[in-house]
Amino acid sequence: MYNFLQKITRTWSGRISYGLVDKRCHYATPATSNVEPASRKEKVSKAMKAYLERAKSHNEFMNIQNQEFKLGKRHLANMMGEDPETFTQDNIDEAIRYLFPSGLYEKKARPIMKPPEEVIPQRKAAEFDETGRPFHSMFYTARPNYNKLLFDIVENINSLCAFEDRMVRKQLTPDSSQKLETSGFEWLSKAALEKHLLEILSDTEYENFVRAMTRLCQLPYSFREKSFINQFRKPLLIKANSDEIPKPQFDESGKSYITIYECKRKSARADVTAIVPGTGSITINGKDITYFEVVQAREQVLFPLIFTEMMGKVDIVANVEDGGFSGQAGAIRWGISMALRSFVDSEMIDRMRIAGLLQRDYRRRERKKPGQKGARAKYTWKKR
């Protein structure tokens, strides 16, 4: 019995000296100060581990792409007889245009050769630290950036209201000269706001954003938050630079004229000359307006003259080729509109821009898709 108790005492004293826990006890015994505790390893969240693995694989992929780009750039320089060390990106683009001259009409159909950083989308930065704690205060909401934007708007409204209360107590009124100008501006479109926030928004959420920003602009001291408001609005009109409008030239008879080249619409190409003063004659490929048999095409040609009230005051001479009647009429219409800028005032130019006369129409005929009847039309499906 004595030996058994002595053995237990030695065992228990040894466990106390090493800071261990007796499995038969329900409490831990403290370790002595002579022994240093084991260093604790910082835990890394599963989300951070997955992010680090994806980032590592992405970096390896980008390294391979960079090596292939440098190798392809060297081969292309040797093909063009240039020094690979001084072969720039402009030289690469020029070489591609030389190797693929006119076989492909669409520029977007040509192959591109650019650094991988410009072609491959960059990876999104980590939104949380190593312990899994998110950086964004709205991380656990459905749309963090959108909710943060609404939060900032409310914060600005509250701060402006508090500032207004202080000014009222001091019997001060806002300076009318510093009032925020709201006319001539519009809020960012839904697509532009989604691109800014990098989130998909519903129509209701976009309407809530517009209402909140409108409420912010209606405050008397909204000019104090002008920098914040200007991030989400754009001018309705982009004022034309006077240097971009060509100055009229004069012919032998003293009449002023403007010639617009490369007027494009679909596959039609035209050059238009406007002569002032004139009698209102319109010459298209040596013929009058009856060159177009379709009434709609004639209306397209006459619309810029009627809109600017220059009908009967200017002569139009146009040469057009390729394309159909619709494309040719569109090309001439755009050329007339661009030429008339030199003979009207800036207010009329703004009105023409709003009417869409100065915007080139880049639409083209959509190609037929394989396995379909047309561009969009499908063959009739029959079960049997």
Side-chain angles (χ1 to χ4, degrees), residues 122-160:
Q122 297 294 325
R123 280 191 53 80
K124 191 175 182 180
E127 299 180 349
F128 39 81
D129 56 13
E130 293 184 355
T131 61
R133 186 181 182 86
F135 298 130
H136 204 292
S137 59
M138 306 285 181
F139 180 79
Y140 291 105
T141 60
R143 293 171 178 81
N145 296 332
Y146 171 75
N147 292 325
K148 183 64 168 60
L149 173 59
L150 294 183
F151 178 81
D152 293 340
I153 295 173
V154 174
E155 285 290 314
N156 292 329
I157 292 175
N158 293 336
S159 63
L160 291 179

Coordinates of all heavy atoms in Angstrom, one line a residue, residues 122-160:
Q122 N -7.5 40.8 -64.9 CA -6.7 40.7 -63.7 C -7.6 40.0 -62.6 O -8.8 40.2 -62.6 CB -6.2 42.1 -63.2 CG -5.3 42.8 -64.2 CD -4.0 42.0 -64.3 OE1 -3.5 41.4 -63.3 NE2 -3.4 42.0 -65.5
R123 N -6.9 39.3 -61.7 CA -7.6 38.7 -60.6 C -8.1 39.7 -59.6 O -7.4 40.7 -59.4 CB -6.7 37.6 -60.0 CG -6.6 36.3 -60.7 CD -6.0 35.3 -59.8 NE -6.6 35.1 -58.6 CZ -7.8 34.5 -58.3 NH1 -8.4 33.9 -59.3 NH2 -8.3 34.4 -57.1
K124 N -9.2 39.4 -59.0 CA -9.7 40.3 -58.0 C -8.9 40.2 -56.7 O -8.6 39.1 -56.3 CB -11.2 40.0 -57.8 CG -11.9 41.1 -56.9 CD -13.4 40.7 -56.8 CE -14.1 41.8 -56.0 NZ -15.6 41.5 -55.9
A125 N -8.6 41.3 -56.1 CA -7.8 41.2 -54.9 C -8.6 40.6 -53.8 O -9.8 40.5 -53.8 CB -7.4 42.6 -54.5
A126 N -7.9 40.1 -52.8 CA -8.5 39.4 -51.6 C -9.4 40.4 -50.9 O -8.9 41.5 -50.6 CB -7.4 38.8 -50.7
E127 N -10.5 40.0 -50.5 CA -11.4 40.8 -49.7 C -11.4 40.5 -48.2 O -12.3 41.0 -47.5 CB -12.9 40.6 -50.3 CG -13.0 41.0 -51.7 CD -14.4 40.9 -52.3 OE1 -15.2 40.2 -51.5 OE2 -14.7 41.3 -53.4
F128 N -10.5 39.7 -47.8 CA -10.4 39.3 -46.4 C -9.0 39.1 -46.0 O -8.1 38.8 -46.9 CB -11.3 38.1 -46.1 CG -11.2 37.1 -47.2 CD1 -10.2 36.2 -47.2 CD2 -12.2 37.0 -48.2 CE1 -10.1 35.2 -48.3 CE2 -12.1 36.1 -49.2 CZ -11.1 35.2 -49.2
D129 N -8.7 39.1 -44.7 CA -7.3 38.9 -44.2 C -7.1 37.4 -44.0 O -7.9 36.5 -44.4 CB -7.0 39.6 -43.0 CG -8.0 39.3 -41.9 OD1 -8.8 38.3 -42.0 OD2 -8.1 40.1 -40.9
E130 N -6.0 37.0 -43.5 CA -5.6 35.6 -43.3 C -6.5 34.9 -42.3 O -6.7 33.7 -42.4 CB -4.1 35.5 -42.9 CG -3.1 36.0 -43.9 CD -1.7 35.8 -43.5 OE1 -1.6 35.4 -42.3 OE2 -0.8 36.1 -44.2
T131 N -7.1 35.6 -41.4 CA -8.0 35.0 -40.5 C -9.4 34.9 -41.0 O -10.3 34.3 -40.3 CB -8.0 35.8 -39.1 OG1 -8.5 37.1 -39.4 CG2 -6.6 35.8 -38.5
G132 N -9.7 35.4 -42.2 CA -11.0 35.3 -42.8 C -11.9 36.5 -42.5 O -13.0 36.5 -42.8
R133 N -11.3 37.5 -41.8 CA -12.1 38.7 -41.5 C -12.2 39.6 -42.8 O -11.1 40.0 -43.3 CB -11.4 39.5 -40.4 CG -12.3 40.7 -39.9 CD -11.5 41.4 -38.7 NE -12.3 42.5 -38.2 CZ -13.2 42.4 -37.3 NH1 -13.5 41.2 -36.8 NH2 -13.9 43.5 -36.9
P134 N -13.3 40.0 -43.2 CA -13.5 40.8 -44.5 C -13.0 42.2 -44.2 O -13.2 42.8 -43.2 CB -14.9 40.7 -44.8 CG -15.6 40.4 -43.5 CD -14.7 39.6 -42.7
F135 N -12.5 42.8 -45.3 CA -12.1 44.2 -45.2 C -13.3 45.1 -45.4 O -13.3 46.2 -44.8 CB -11.0 44.5 -46.3 CG -9.8 43.7 -46.2 CD1 -9.3 43.0 -47.3 CD2 -9.1 43.7 -45.0 CE1 -8.1 42.3 -47.2 CE2 -7.9 43.0 -44.9 CZ -7.4 42.3 -46.0
H136 N -14.2 44.8 -46.3 CA -15.4 45.6 -46.6 C -16.4 45.5 -45.4 O -16.7 44.5 -44.9 CB -16.0 45.2 -47.9 CG -16.8 46.3 -48.6 ND1 -17.9 46.8 -48.0 CD2 -16.5 47.0 -49.7 CE1 -18.4 47.7 -48.8 NE2 -17.6 47.9 -49.9
S137 N -16.9 46.7 -45.0 CA -17.8 46.8 -43.9 C -19.2 46.2 -44.3 O -19.9 45.7 -43.4 CB -18.1 48.2 -43.5 OG -18.5 49.0 -44.5
M138 N -19.5 46.1 -45.6 CA -20.7 45.5 -46.1 C -20.5 44.2 -46.8 O -21.3 43.8 -47.7 CB -21.4 46.5 -47.1 CG -21.6 47.9 -46.5 SD -23.0 48.0 -45.4 CE -23.0 49.7 -45.0
F139 N -19.5 43.5 -46.4 CA -19.1 42.3 -47.1 C -20.2 41.2 -47.1 O -20.4 40.5 -48.1 CB -17.8 41.7 -46.5 CG -17.4 40.4 -47.1 CD1 -16.7 40.4 -48.3 CD2 -17.6 39.2 -46.5 CE1 -16.2 39.3 -48.9 CE2 -17.2 38.0 -47.1 CZ -16.5 38.0 -48.3
Y140 N -20.9 41.1 -46.0 CA -21.9 40.1 -45.8 C -23.3 40.5 -46.3 O -24.3 39.8 -46.1 CB -22.0 39.6 -44.4 CG -20.8 38.9 -43.9 CD1 -19.9 39.6 -43.1 CD2 -20.5 37.6 -44.3 CE1 -18.8 38.9 -42.6 CE2 -19.4 37.0 -43.9 CZ -18.5 37.6 -43.0 OH -17.4 37.0 -42.6
T141 N -23.4 41.6 -47.0 CA -24.7 42.0 -47.7 C -24.7 41.4 -49.1 O -23.7 41.0 -49.6 CB -24.8 43.5 -47.7 OG1 -23.7 44.1 -48.4 CG2 -24.8 44.1 -46.3
A142 N -25.8 41.5 -49.8 CA -26.0 41.0 -51.1 C -25.1 41.7 -52.1 O -24.5 41.1 -53.0 CB -27.4 41.0 -51.5
R143 N -25.1 43.1 -52.0 CA -24.3 43.9 -52.9 C -23.5 44.9 -52.0 O -24.0 46.0 -51.7 CB -25.2 44.7 -53.9 CG -25.9 43.7 -54.8 CD -27.0 44.4 -55.7 NE -27.6 43.5 -56.6 CZ -28.5 42.6 -56.3 NH1 -29.0 42.5 -55.1 NH2 -29.0 41.8 -57.2
P144 N -22.3 44.6 -51.7 CA -21.5 45.4 -50.7 C -21.3 46.8 -51.2 O -21.5 47.8 -50.5 CB -20.2 44.7 -50.5 CG -20.5 43.3 -50.9 CD -21.6 43.4 -52.0
N145 N -20.8 47.0 -52.5 CA -20.5 48.3 -53.0 C -21.7 49.2 -53.1 O -21.7 50.4 -52.9 CB -19.8 48.1 -54.4 CG -18.5 47.4 -54.3 OD1 -17.8 47.5 -53.2 ND2 -18.1 46.7 -55.3
Y146 N -22.8 48.6 -53.6 CA -24.1 49.4 -53.7 C -24.6 49.8 -52.3 O -24.9 51.0 -52.2 CB -25.1 48.5 -54.4 CG -26.5 49.1 -54.4 CD1 -26.8 50.2 -55.3 CD2 -27.5 48.7 -53.5 CE1 -28.1 50.7 -55.3 CE2 -28.8 49.2 -53.5 CZ -29.1 50.3 -54.4 OH -30.3 50.8 -54.4
N147 N -24.6 48.9 -51.3 CA -25.0 49.3 -50.0 C -24.1 50.3 -49.4 O -24.5 51.2 -48.6 CB -25.1 48.1 -49.1 CG -26.2 47.2 -49.6 OD1 -27.3 47.6 -50.0 ND2 -26.0 45.9 -49.4
K148 N -22.8 50.2 -49.6 CA -21.8 51.2 -49.1 C -22.1 52.6 -49.8 O -22.0 53.6 -49.1 CB -20.4 50.8 -49.4 CG -19.3 51.7 -48.9 CD -19.4 51.8 -47.4 CE -18.1 52.4 -46.8 NZ -18.0 53.8 -47.3
L149 N -22.5 52.6 -51.1 CA -22.8 53.9 -51.7 C -24.0 54.5 -51.1 O -24.0 55.7 -50.8 CB -23.0 53.6 -53.2 CG -23.5 54.8 -54.1 CD1 -22.5 55.9 -54.0 CD2 -23.8 54.4 -55.5
L150 N -25.1 53.7 -50.9 CA -26.2 54.3 -50.2 C -25.9 54.8 -48.8 O -26.4 55.8 -48.4 CB -27.3 53.2 -50.1 CG -27.9 52.8 -51.5 CD1 -29.1 51.8 -51.2 CD2 -28.4 54.0 -52.3
F151 N -25.0 54.1 -48.1 CA -24.6 54.5 -46.8 C -23.9 55.8 -46.8 O -24.1 56.7 -46.0 CB -23.7 53.4 -46.1 CG -23.2 53.8 -44.8 CD1 -24.0 53.6 -43.7 CD2 -21.9 54.3 -44.6 CE1 -23.5 53.9 -42.4 CE2 -21.5 54.6 -43.4 CZ -22.3 54.4 -42.3
D152 N -23.0 56.0 -47.8 CA -22.3 57.3 -48.0 C -23.2 58.4 -48.3 O -23.0 59.5 -47.8 CB -21.2 57.1 -49.0 CG -20.1 56.2 -48.6 OD1 -20.0 55.9 -47.4 OD2 -19.4 55.6 -49.5
I153 N -24.2 58.1 -49.2 CA -25.2 59.2 -49.5 C -26.0 59.6 -48.3 O -26.1 60.9 -48.0 CB -26.2 58.7 -50.6 CG1 -25.4 58.4 -51.9 CG2 -27.3 59.7 -50.8 CD1 -26.3 57.7 -52.9
V154 N -26.4 58.7 -47.4 CA -27.1 59.1 -46.2 C -26.2 59.8 -45.3 O -26.6 60.8 -44.6 CB -27.7 57.8 -45.6 CG1 -28.3 58.1 -44.2 CG2 -28.7 57.1 -46.5
E155 N -25.0 59.4 -45.2 CA -24.0 60.1 -44.3 C -23.9 61.6 -44.8 O -23.8 62.5 -44.0 CB -22.7 59.4 -44.3 CG -22.7 58.1 -43.5 CD -22.8 58.4 -42.0 OE1 -22.1 59.3 -41.5 OE2 -23.6 57.7 -41.3
N156 N -23.7 61.8 -46.1 CA -23.6 63.1 -46.6 C -24.9 64.0 -46.4 O -24.8 65.2 -46.0 CB -23.3 63.1 -48.1 CG -21.9 62.5 -48.4 OD1 -21.0 62.7 -47.6 ND2 -21.8 61.9 -49.5
I157 N -26.0 63.3 -46.5 CA -27.3 64.0 -46.2 C -27.4 64.5 -44.8 O -27.7 65.6 -44.5 CB -28.5 63.2 -46.6 CG1 -28.6 63.0 -48.2 CG2 -29.8 63.8 -46.1 CD1 -29.7 62.0 -48.6
N158 N -27.0 63.6 -43.9 CA -27.1 63.9 -42.5 C -26.1 65.0 -42.1 O -26.4 65.9 -41.3 CB -26.8 62.7 -41.6 CG -27.9 61.6 -41.7 OD1 -29.0 61.9 -42.1 ND2 -27.6 60.4 -41.5
S159 N -24.9 64.9 -42.7 CA -23.9 66.0 -42.4 C -24.3 67.3 -42.9 O -24.1 68.4 -42.2 CB -22.5 65.6 -42.9 OG -22.6 65.5 -44.4
L160 N -24.9 67.4 -44.1 CA -25.4 68.6 -44.7 C -26.6 69.2 -43.9 O -26.7 70.4 -43.7 CB -25.8 68.4 -46.1 CG -24.7 68.2 -47.1 CD1 -25.2 68.0 -48.5 CD2 -23.6 69.3 -47.1

